[in-house]
Amino acid sequence: MLTFILKRMCLMFIVILGVTMMTFLIMHFTPGDPAEMIAMARYGVDDLTQEDIEWIRVQEGLDAPLHIQYIKWLNHAIHGDLGCSLINGQPVLSEILVRFPATIKLAAVSMLVALIIAIPVGIISATRQYSLTDNVSMMGAMLGVSMPNFWLGLLLILLFSVHLGWFPVCGYGGFEYIILPALTLGTGMAAITTRLTRSSMLEVLRQDYIRTARAKGLSEKVVISKHALKNALIPIVTVIGMQFGRVLEGAVIIETIFAWPGIGKLLVDSIYARDFAMIQGGVLFVAVIFVIVNLVVDISYTYLDPRIRYEGVK
Amino acid sequence: MTLLGIRNLKVYFYSEDGMVRAVNDVDLDIGEGETLGIIGETGCGKTILGLSILRLLSENTKVEGRILYKGEDLLKLSEDEMRKIRGKEIAMIFQNPLSSMNPVLTVGTQVAEPVELHQHLDNQNAKEKVIEMLKSVRIPLPSKRVNEYPHEFSGGMRQRAMIAMGLICMPSLIIADEPTTGLDVTTQAQIVELMKEVLKDSGTSMLLITHDLGVAAELCDHMAVMYPGEIVEYADVRNIFKNPKHPYTRGFLDSLPGRGLKPIPGISPSLINIPEGCKFHPRCSYATGRCKKERPQMKKVGEKHFVRCFLYD
Ligand SMILES: Nc1ncnc2c1ncn2[C@@H]1O[C@H](COP(=O)(O)OP(=O)(O)OP(=O)(O)O)[C@@H](O)[C@H]1O
Ligand code: SF4
Ligand SMILES: [Mg+2]
């Protein structure tokens, strides 16, 4: 297990290196002079001079060649220093840590909502294949997959906040604030997971060991919950790790729509402001979280599927 | 006394290629303490016959006829009543223990289930019972191995565990589907010895499904030879080997390594395209015009010896 984790850590490092390098490149090739944008953000458009811009360029190291800039940033990052915001001078790390809980809260609630809907519906669909229940849930899942996040979000705001007034339109606060964004973010995942649960369950129900379980006289309930479910969950858990990536990705848009003060919104705001340090730090942070979640998912496999034992175990 | 009587059993599948007659007019009896062997080539419907007794076939299947267990027709029981028969009265030992055991549950958990369910034993008592059972099927270190998973067992050990799972409730009838297939010769011999012993001790009846005549000869009192969905010959073991009547039975025996290794000419039929008349006629050297058109009936040719062939009309 230890060897496995170490190996994964190495891989994790490479992934993170790649991700940050890509962000760096993309940021610097987007049109517009970054020094000018930063100067505008700091001093306003009106009394901006060319000297101010040049001063910022030198001050923030934007005049050095790209690879030097990257290596400098990486060196600091490795030592735990993500730099300061180019706009307001706040340390990037503390800003991220302030915003991070909001995103995790949103992601966790969305995934919870998705799983609570998807797993039971998927199981019922599989055990009653081609029944009315099955057809209706599969149609629902189809709809859920094909609806774009932002569109669904706006629709929900329109219906539940504007027309019915049940929930606040946007913002951050108590329970009532999280419902609509979590629903928006969770729907796509619920749809995919429902379909996956159904097909995984159908596959498992065809297996010989299910017949063996029935041959013992076990009731259908026990056959499903004790013999089939654990097997069916194995592929679902894999996908949960990947889904988490999608949830983070979706959070960028959803947080903007619902004015949810998480990392997604921070990233979008920083991109508008060309706050390179903040973007770089945010992306790094999200990548690390994503990789860690996937590692945890992979480790949790061992407990679900005893056939998988990573090198070094036993 | 008859324990299980199968009368006029027909099993159909509705598949995309039309109706498949997997079992056609099968009549069989198994007495108390008796072992009946079903032999036949692969795909002739042996497993389907076994599964139909426990009513474990999928929903696209139609089963007709009667399956009398202790005088009661199993096909007329409700699903709830049937569940009280499965594992308790009639148990099945499945072909291919690797795929027939749940990969994510320990062997101990799986072997314990029948007694927990039917004898309402609590965890501790069930575990003791399982260890005792594993010991009796000669699994070494049973108290350690109950906590292992099927993939940690060798093929022979898995088969033993499967047998333990079937016998743990002391059923009256065991349906054993190819219990020795896929094992090496030494292990095969051990499993056969084990089953012999266990059956003698418990007085359990058995329906033994196999395509290994050697195994059948060791374990069975009577044998039924199956050719796509039908019984073509039924006799006691001695007569099947010493005095086979049906051309297919003879061909089957001649194809054995010890008996000349002569294969039966022609291909073994699938259940999809079953020939008219006698199903064996395309491969039979005695076939006449009548064999192509008419289906032969079971004829008595001796004491408890029946054959489905026009040669004995
Ligand atoms: N649900 C089903 N629908 C349609 N056909 C089926 C179904 N189940 C089994 N069959 C077919 O019925 C035939 C008989 O199967 P069965 O498993 O009884 O053969 P068998 O005699 O046990 O062979 P083997 O020695 O290989 O185990 C097979 O050809 C199989 O393809
Ligand atoms: S009935 Fe005819 S074809 Fe069939 S086994 Fe007998 S002789 Fe051969
Ligand atoms: Mg079979």
Side-chain angles (χ1 to χ4, degrees):
Chain A
M1 183 66 88
L2 206 67
T3 340
F4 167 75
I5 293 177
L6 281 177
K7 253 188 201 162
R8 288 295 302 258
M9 298 277 249
C10 282
L11 215 66
M12 188 166 141
F13 186 72
I14 296 171
V15 168
I16 288 167
L17 213 64
V19 168
T20 51
M21 222 180 305
M22 282 300 286
T23 339
F24 217 82
L25 278 175
I26 293 172
M27 272 179 350
H28 283 271
F29 285 115
T30 37
D33 176 8
E36 190 184 326
M37 310 276 284
I38 293 163
M40 278 197 310
R42 276 196 203 166
Y43 312 122
V45 188
D46 300 332
D47 38 22
L48 195 64
T49 62
Q50 194 59 40
E51 282 91 82
D52 288 338
I53 295 175
E54 290 314 318
W55 187 81
I56 281 178
R57 202 187 304 284
V58 176
Q59 187 71 20
E60 301 297 344
L62 293 169
D63 53 344
L66 216 52
H67 61 278
I68 303 290
Q69 284 187 42
Y70 179 69
I71 290 168
K72 241 168 89 186
W73 175 82
L74 194 65
N75 186 32
H76 282 125
I78 287 169
H79 293 96
D81 173 18
L82 293 179
C84 292
S85 161
L86 301 189
I87 307 301
N88 58 20
Q90 293 292 319
V92 167
L93 190 62
S94 62
E95 183 71 24
I96 288 171
L97 289 177
V98 167
R99 301 287 202 111
F100 178 61
T103 297
I104 285 300
K105 205 160 133 191
L106 179 60
V109 173
S110 309
M111 289 185 65
L112 207 68
V113 168
L115 294 179
I116 286 174
I117 299 172
I119 291 179
V121 173
I123 292 172
I124 292 168
S125 263
T127 50
R128 304 189 193 147
Q129 201 185 0
Y130 305 132
S131 67
L132 185 67
T133 329
D134 182 26
N135 287 333
V136 169
S137 21
M138 281 309 106
M139 246 151 66
M142 178 82 109
L143 213 68
V145 180
S146 42
M147 259 187 307
N149 258 344
F150 68 90
W151 185 77
L152 178 65
L154 293 176
L155 211 70
L156 290 179
I157 291 178
L158 220 63
L159 182 62
F160 289 105
S161 307
V162 178
H163 277 290
L164 298 172
W166 291 357
F167 305 109
V169 174
C170 63
Y172 186 69
F175 181 67
E176 68 274 21
Y177 285 93
I178 205 167
I179 293 180
L180 290 187
L183 219 55
T184 312
L185 205 49
T187 300
M189 181 174 174
I192 294 172
T193 315
T194 306
R195 292 215 287 205
L196 184 71
T197 307
R198 177 180 182 269
S199 65
S200 169
M201 200 69 188
L202 282 174
E203 179 62 32
V204 167
L205 288 175
R206 266 201 296 276
Q207 300 298 314
D208 288 349
Y209 53 80
I210 296 300
R211 199 175 59 192
T212 310
R214 291 192 177 124
K216 291 174 185 172
L218 297 172
S219 69
E220 210 48 31
K221 222 167 69 195
V222 176
V223 170
I224 300 282
S225 61
K226 185 171 173 190
H227 284 264
L229 188 59
K230 205 175 166 202
N231 283 286
L233 280 179
I234 294 169
I236 296 169
V237 169
T238 337
V239 174
I240 287 177
M242 291 191 272
Q243 294 275 6
F244 186 78
R246 291 172 139 262
V247 167
L248 287 181
E249 182 191 305
V252 173
I253 298 165
I254 300 305
E255 285 181 1
T256 310
I257 294 178
F258 287 92
W260 190 262
I263 294 221
K265 182 149 191 323
L266 175 68
L267 271 173
V268 172
D269 293 344
S270 310
I271 289 170
Y272 280 131
R274 294 296 163 90
D275 191 343
F276 288 172
M278 197 59 100
I279 299 173
Q280 235 0 61
V283 167
L284 173 68
F285 199 80
V286 171
V288 170
I289 295 298
F290 178 64
V291 173
I292 289 175
V293 165
N294 273 288
L295 181 65
V296 170
V297 164
D298 283 352
I299 291 171
S300 69
Y301 265 4
T302 358
Y303 295 97
L304 267 182
D305 189 349
R307 286 164 299 183
I308 301 173
R309 288 279 191 259
Y310 301 111
E311 315 89 284
V313 199
K314 293 216 104 189
Chain B
M1 246 271 298
T2 311
L3 181 68
L4 185 84
I6 296 179
R7 302 282 174 269
N8 247 315
L9 186 71
K10 292 183 173 57
V11 178
Y12 309 107
F13 289 114
Y14 296 101
S15 75
E16 281 158 24
D17 312 307
M19 198 161 72
V20 180
R21 289 167 208 272
V23 173
N24 207 358
D25 289 328
V26 164
D27 285 277
L28 286 172
D29 277 306
I30 302 175
E32 268 169 30
E34 187 197 348
T35 294
L36 171 68
I38 306 274
I39 57 165
E41 284 165 293
T42 181
C44 72
K46 304 184 297 290
T47 300
I48 307 255
L49 175 65
L51 289 173
S52 65
I53 296 169
L54 280 176
R55 297 203 359 218
L56 287 173
L57 292 166
S58 55
E59 275 165 13
N60 66 340
T61 345
K62 193 159 178 241
V63 182
E64 279 171 17
R66 287 188 297 162
I67 299 175
L68 303 167
Y69 174 75
K70 293 184 173 166
E72 196 172 19
D73 189 352
L74 297 183
L75 296 181
K76 292 213 170 71
L77 295 186
S78 70
E79 200 33 48
D80 280 342
E81 290 168 320
M82 200 58 218
R83 272 204 289 273
K84 298 207 174 77
I85 302 270
R86 292 183 192 133
K88 184 182 179 200
E89 298 282 337
I90 306 176
M92 189 149 176
I93 297 171
F94 287 95
Q95 197 170 2
N96 194 355
L98 182 58
S99 68
S100 299
M101 291 179 94
N102 196 325
V104 303
L105 297 177
T106 61
V107 171
T109 308
Q110 298 185 60
V111 176
E113 272 177 327
V115 277
E116 285 171 353
L117 179 70
H118 298 296
Q119 295 175 3
H120 311 290
L121 294 192
D122 60 30
N123 265 341
Q124 194 48 43
N125 286 328
K127 192 168 178 188
E128 275 164 27
K129 178 95 191 163
V130 168
I131 291 175
E132 186 188 311
M133 205 65 216
L134 293 187
K135 205 179 285 169
S136 76
V137 295
R138 312 268 146 66
I139 292 180
L141 298 173
S143 46
K144 174 174 160 282
R145 306 222 70 175
V146 284
N147 298 320
E148 291 182 5
Y149 291 91
H151 74 274
E152 296 172 279
F153 275 49
S154 69
M157 287 302 146
R158 263 196 302 267
Q159 189 63 65
R160 285 163 200 262
M162 198 75 201
I163 292 171
M165 201 190 300
L167 290 171
I168 195 161
C169 277
M170 293 294 184
S172 310
L173 176 67
I174 286 273
I175 303 169
D177 193 356
E178 317 254 12
T180 57
T181 308
L183 302 177
D184 64 72
V185 184
T186 328
T187 317
Q188 266 188 19
Q190 287 169 353
I191 297 284
V192 168
E193 271 318 300
L194 174 74
M195 294 187 72
K196 238 182 184 169
E197 205 176 293
V198 167
L199 291 175
K200 210 178 78 204
D201 291 351
S202 61
T204 305
S205 306
M206 179 163 76
L207 181 70
L208 175 71
I209 297 170
T210 182
H211 49 233
D212 186 332
L213 274 170
V215 172
E218 288 270 343
L219 289 169
C220 301
D221 303 303
H222 291 90
M223 268 158 87
V225 181
M226 211 166 165
Y227 194 73
E230 287 183 346
I231 305 293
V232 293
E233 183 159 6
Y234 172 90
D236 60 33
V237 179
R238 244 194 76 239
N239 273 322
I240 287 283
F241 283 96
K242 293 269 154 53
N243 191 17
K245 297 287 190 200
H246 198 281
Y248 174 67
T249 313
R250 290 183 189 165
F252 203 101
L253 289 169
D254 287 342
S255 70
L256 292 181
R259 295 221 188 185
L261 250 168
K262 279 201 299 286
I264 308 173
I267 46 158
S268 58
S270 75
L271 286 170
I272 310 274
N273 286 312
I274 295 180
E276 291 280 300
C278 171
K279 293 175 183 174
F280 191 53
H281 84 252
R283 302 167 77 187
C284 179
S285 47
Y286 305 96
T288 62
R290 187 187 179 194
C291 304
K292 291 188 180 114
K293 287 189 221 82
E294 232 180 284
R295 179 168 173 238
Q297 296 301 312
M298 276 301 230
K299 277 264 144 54
K300 188 166 178 164
V301 291
E303 176 68 22
K304 276 200 138 197
H305 194 162
F306 298 85
V307 175
R308 196 186 285 279
C309 172
F310 289 128
L311 291 177
Y312 304 95
D313 251 11

